Amino acid sequence: MRPLLSGDAVGMSAGGGRIEIRGVHHEYMRQGDKVPQVALAAVDLDVAPGEFVCLLGSSGCGKSTLLMIVAGLFRPTSGEVLLDGAAVTGPSRDRGVVFQEYALLPWKTVRSNIALGPRLAGASRRDANRIAEEYLELVGMPQVGDKYPHELSGGMRQRAAVARTLAAKPKVLLMDEPFAAVDAQTRSVLQEELIGIWARTQQTVVFVTHSVEEAALLADRVVVMSSAPGRVKEIFAVELPHDERFEPEMAPEVAGVAAKLLTTVRTSRPVRNKGSEQWSA
Amino acid sequence: MKVPAWRRLLRPGAVPVALVLLGWLALPYFDHIPQYKLPHLAQVGSDLWGLARSGALWAALGDSMGRLGTAFVLGAAAGVLVGLAVTLSRSLNDFLMPVIAFFNAIAGIAWIPMAIVWFGFGSGPVIFVIANNVFFIVLYNTLLGAESIPAIMYDAVRVLGGYRRLTMVREVLVPGAMVGVLSGLRTGLAFAWRALVAVEMIAASNGLGYLSIQASRVFDGATVVSVILVIGAVWVVMDRVLLRPIERVTVRRWGMVGQTDF
């Protein structure tokens, strides 16, 4: 893999990026149900500017729902999300999202996909394309601008999706299991690249994952969620320095953190009311 | 890789064509089929040559193609526009779809008597009936295309700062519906071309359909078969020079339909 290059225009974000999640509660009706399902129950969470937070939990714990609420794509049943003190009312270029399924527009070249954010912010076609090239360089594939998304591998598509999100200069980066669909080898390369980019842009990152190893490698803090209903179970600070976590000799320490997270995730299975069936780990 | 022209003739697809021609040549020797029931290949060839030399063929072809072009453009444009509008507006959808569903069932040939009363013999009823036919085919395919766009495509544009409706239409709806629109155009043109000849037989006094029905009235089987051959050939040409190239530079290029090129 080529190392990350440093284009001058690709620099720190505009600053800010404090996220406050206040009593977020989310219910939805499934077809045929009489009572609503509670996806999230009274979630409170603060994310500091520039912090890298992982939301960790098994599927169905509402971690992706919480991310979509922060993105403004879902509206919570009650509670609110603040970005730098202002209430979130809908999607905005302040909060960039990297989707698990890439969500690149198939009818646009990779360059035009990445240029879309700058274009929508009012940049000329020429400027937007120049910015797109810089971000293609940042994610290590300056030569694929003219290709269409279907011509790229899964890993390259996800790089393009990250570049597209970054090119819109969001204050916070919301990532919904972005590396779940790529192979293990590509995943570890992408993880290291992401940390490299984050170290330079210093954006706030909220990263949803179900992998304890991924959370141990990436996060400043790991928010372990329990399911049915989704709540914050426990918050871990990972003390290892970011730039050392990918070194082979640090593997045992990272694995140790992962093991601790795994224990918490396991015991975070829902315990129903007394008398009803008990769920064991 | 570039395939030389003579090699193309050896493609598997050429075999059935050759068999049909051979069968046609051989048929008169097996049974005594009169010329007016199935003219010989040579007879049709000389008739076609005669029609081409006299200009009758080109005049009829020109009349038919002119009607086809007008009707197709009108019907297709209306179909795409109404399709997108109905996708964009829930209330317009609820308002229009019942009446559209009703008229879809009677689109085309059933209108011929009314169209003749309204427009008189000639191009009027032909264009009306064909445009009507094309409209519904393109409309339904546009709706299908628009429905097939994953919601995440809209979300992706919204989080990049696409807040306006017009942005969504331009960046997602129109290109995303393209697969459906193009298949609608292709099906619509194919139906239009077939129906056109039929309507011309009834409601027009020139064009390929009229040429054919007139010939049949004087038992001129060679001309009838000539018209059949011309109809088939024109379709193949339209499909190759018009529809497939459009597909190739759009939805095929974007990987939105299968990569098999034929």
Side-chain angles (χ1 to χ4, degrees), chain A residues 71-73 91-93 95-97 99 101 103-108 113 116-117 120 146 148 150-151 164-165 168, chain B residues 149 152-163 167 170-173 175-177 249 252-256 259:
Chain A
L73 291 171
S92 151
R93 64 169 62 93
R95 286 162 276 119
V97 180
F99 299 92
E101 314 87 330
L104 295 165
L105 304 176
W107 44 85
K108 283 179 178 292
N113 263 287
L116 186 57
L120 292 175
D146 289 321
Y148 284 87
H150 77 99
E151 298 173 292
R164 178 176 70 175
T165 304
Chain B
I149 302 171
I152 200 170
M153 294 294 161
Y154 293 101
D155 286 347
V157 174
R158 288 163 77 200
V159 296
L160 287 171
Y163 310 134
T167 306
R170 194 186 60 216
E171 302 293 346
V172 183
L173 179 60
V249 297
R252 229 165 258 284
R253 180 87 184 84
W254 304 337
M256 293 170 73
Q259 288 298 301

Side-chain angles (χ1 to χ4, degrees), chain A residues 171-275:
Chain A
K171 288 182 181 168
V172 306
L173 206 52
L174 307 173
M175 308 184 81
D176 188 12
E177 306 204 39
F179 307 146
V182 298
D183 63 88
Q185 207 141 17
T186 309
R187 185 180 310 134
S188 82
V189 173
L190 290 173
Q191 286 165 341
E192 193 167 356
E193 287 180 359
L194 174 64
I195 290 300
I197 293 169
W198 171 68
R200 295 199 17 234
T201 62
Q202 308 203 341
Q203 274 156 320
T204 311
V205 180
V206 181
F207 188 109
V208 166
T209 182
H210 61 256
S211 156
V212 290
E213 289 83 10
E214 189 163 61
L217 269 173
L218 300 178
D220 287 319
R221 281 193 303 153
V222 181
V223 177
V224 179
M225 295 181 67
S226 62
S227 40
R231 317 173 175 273
V232 175
K233 159 95 182 173
E234 214 165 325
I235 300 180
F236 281 93
V238 183
E239 306 289 356
L240 307 170
H242 270 103
D243 49 353
E244 290 173 15
R245 290 189 207 175
F246 292 93
E247 313 265 328
E249 57 271 25
M250 289 293 282
E253 274 86 347
V254 175
V257 174
K260 233 191 278 173
L261 291 173
L262 187 62
T263 314
T264 315
V265 171
R266 284 244 177 131
T267 55
S268 69
R269 294 279 175 81
V271 179
R272 295 281 173 89
N273 296 335
K274 283 186 204 116

Side-chain angles (χ1 to χ4, degrees), chain B residues 175-230:
Chain B
M178 200 70 151
V179 177
V181 170
L182 286 182
S183 89
L185 293 182
R186 196 164 172 178
T187 319
L189 191 59
F191 266 81
W193 184 230
R194 283 176 226 171
L196 178 87
V197 178
V199 183
E200 279 181 344
M201 288 181 180
I202 300 166
S205 47
N206 54 18
L208 285 173
Y210 180 77
L211 183 65
S212 168
I213 201 82
Q214 280 304 102
S216 82
R217 283 172 188 151
V218 295
F219 300 103
D220 177 5
T223 298
V224 174
V225 175
S226 294
V227 170
I228 290 174
L229 292 180
V230 169

Side-chain angles (χ1 to χ4, degrees), chain A residues 27-208:
Chain A
E27 295 177 354
Y28 63 96
M29 292 295 271
R30 270 198 314 222
Q31 199 127 40
D33 278 1
K34 293 223 165 55
V35 285
Q37 301 281 321
V38 181
L40 293 167
V43 173
D44 287 296
L45 183 67
D46 281 3
V47 182
E51 194 179 17
F52 198 125
V53 165
C54 278
L55 301 181
L56 175 70
S58 46
S59 40
C61 73
K63 56 195 191 298
S64 289
T65 305
L66 184 58
L67 196 78
M68 291 300 126
I69 288 171
V70 176
L73 291 171
F74 291 179
R75 199 178 285 276
T77 311
S78 63
E80 62 174 356
V81 175
L82 308 176
L83 177 66
D84 295 327
V88 164
T89 55
S92 151
R93 64 169 62 93
D94 284 346
R95 286 162 276 119
V97 180
V98 179
F99 299 92
Q100 182 182 338
E101 314 87 330
Y102 323 122
L104 295 165
L105 304 176
W107 44 85
K108 283 179 178 292
T109 61
V110 172
R111 180 184 300 105
S112 302
N113 263 287
I114 301 173
L116 186 57
R119 289 280 291 156
L120 292 175
S124 70
R125 190 174 294 276
R126 245 183 89 219
D127 287 348
N129 283 339
R130 191 180 42 73
I131 294 169
E133 289 298 337
E134 286 162 8
Y135 280 91
L136 274 171
E137 192 111 328
L138 180 77
V139 296
M141 37 183 216
Q143 69 287 1
V144 303
D146 289 321
K147 292 204 186 295
Y148 284 87
H150 77 99
E151 298 173 292
L152 305 184
S153 68
M156 290 170 89
R157 279 182 221 183
Q158 201 48 284
R159 281 198 185 86
V162 170
R164 178 176 70 175
T165 304
L166 290 172
K169 299 250 179 199
K171 288 182 181 168
V172 306
L173 206 52
L174 307 173
M175 308 184 81
D176 188 12
E177 306 204 39
F179 307 146
V182 298
D183 63 88
Q185 207 141 17
T186 309
R187 185 180 310 134
S188 82
V189 173
L190 290 173
Q191 286 165 341
E192 193 167 356
E193 287 180 359
L194 174 64
I195 290 300
I197 293 169
W198 171 68
R200 295 199 17 234
T201 62
Q202 308 203 341
Q203 274 156 320
T204 311
V205 180
V206 181
F207 188 109
V208 166

